[in-house]
Amino acid sequence: GAWGLFFLFLRAYSLGAGTYTGIEAVSNGVGILREPKVRTGKRTMLYMALSLALTAGGLLLCYMLANIKHVEGQTLNATLANQLMGRFHWGGIPIGFWLVSITMLSEAVLLIVAAQTGFIDGPRILANMALDSWVPRSFASLSDRLTMQNGVYLIGLASMAALAYTQGNAVTLVVMYSINVFLTFSLSELGMVRFWVTHRHKYPTWLRDLSVHLTGLILCFSILCVMIVEKLKEGAWITLVITALCIGLCFIIKKHYEHIRHKVTQLDK
């Protein structure tokens, strides 16, 4: 019935919502965009939206027209490429095989490039956290190079540990990725909602801005809940455990620095 259809759409939306992470990458990188930064950021997001809509819409249309079905061990894109180009031969040369291989290799390269956004934004966030004593102060080094270097080392080691634990299982890795992404999205939107409610007397347009971030909060938090409930046995539980341990470690580091600050204050007295 209607509820079944609603939850089906909700599940599809939550599974496809990982595309929002591209918007996050642009948002975090506004500081290094060309002036005027806001206009450049808006134009970049418009290009991203158009290219994503064209690519995703074109693929969905191809799946439907070619009647693509799930094949064990293959992505839908691989199945589509095999069906459209895999049978081409010319003079005994399997041209179709090479066309399919080039297509899948190009897709893999794009995913590798997309994964680099973590190495751009991660160290920057770690540096901000270090200034507030949530992570070791070495991440807040005055040298940009050292800050980036420490952050890249940490992210690289964490990535290798996740790969080793999951044995490269894409389903588990995507679940781990999506839950943490939408957890941070939800927290960011909650912070913006709190900001506009707290400063509503200073800005005449606060209600308009609040409505934007409140909508974002509802969407992101609903996706987070759906992901956790639906994927609890497919990696969601270990994600929640690891995230909780990381948060606990940050609190321990914060408490350590506060203890040191208190000792130094006593020494000054």
Side-chain angles (χ1 to χ4, degrees), residues 37-54:
K37 294 177 180 179
V38 173
R39 191 182 302 168
T40 305
K42 286 181 178 180
R43 190 180 300 121
T44 305
M45 285 196 183
L46 176 63
Y47 291 157
M48 284 177 57
L50 290 174
S51 62
L52 177 63
L54 182 65

Side-chain angles (χ1 to χ4, degrees), residues 100-220:
V100 171
S101 299
I102 291 169
T103 301
M104 301 315 298
L105 181 63
S106 301
E107 188 176 318
V109 170
L110 280 172
L111 289 172
I112 290 170
V113 172
Q116 304 310 307
T117 55
F119 290 109
I120 298 171
D121 297 326
R124 206 179 291 152
I125 293 167
L126 282 169
N128 289 333
M129 291 178 69
L131 291 173
D132 293 333
S133 304
W134 289 105
V135 296
R137 290 285 174 83
S138 56
F139 288 105
S141 172
L142 291 176
S143 165
D144 286 341
R145 181 181 175 277
L146 286 176
T147 301
M148 293 296 290
Q149 185 183 54
N150 291 334
V152 168
Y153 282 157
L154 181 63
I155 294 168
L157 289 170
S159 301
M160 287 190 285
L163 275 174
Y165 174 78
T166 61
Q167 296 181 345
N169 187 318
V171 174
T172 307
L173 286 169
V174 168
V175 170
M176 293 173 73
Y177 164 79
S178 299
I179 287 176
N180 279 301
V181 162
F182 283 100
L183 176 61
T184 53
F185 279 6
S186 300
L187 289 172
S188 299
E189 292 290 8
L190 181 62
M192 291 305 299
V193 167
R194 182 172 177 267
F195 173 85
W196 287 114
V197 170
T198 306
H199 296 83
R200 61 185 181 278
H201 303 297
K202 297 181 182 179
Y203 302 96
T205 60
W206 72 274
L207 198 59
R208 182 194 66 188
D209 295 313
L210 175 65
S211 65
V212 171
H213 292 290
L214 190 60
T215 303
L217 174 61
I218 293 169
L219 288 174
C220 292

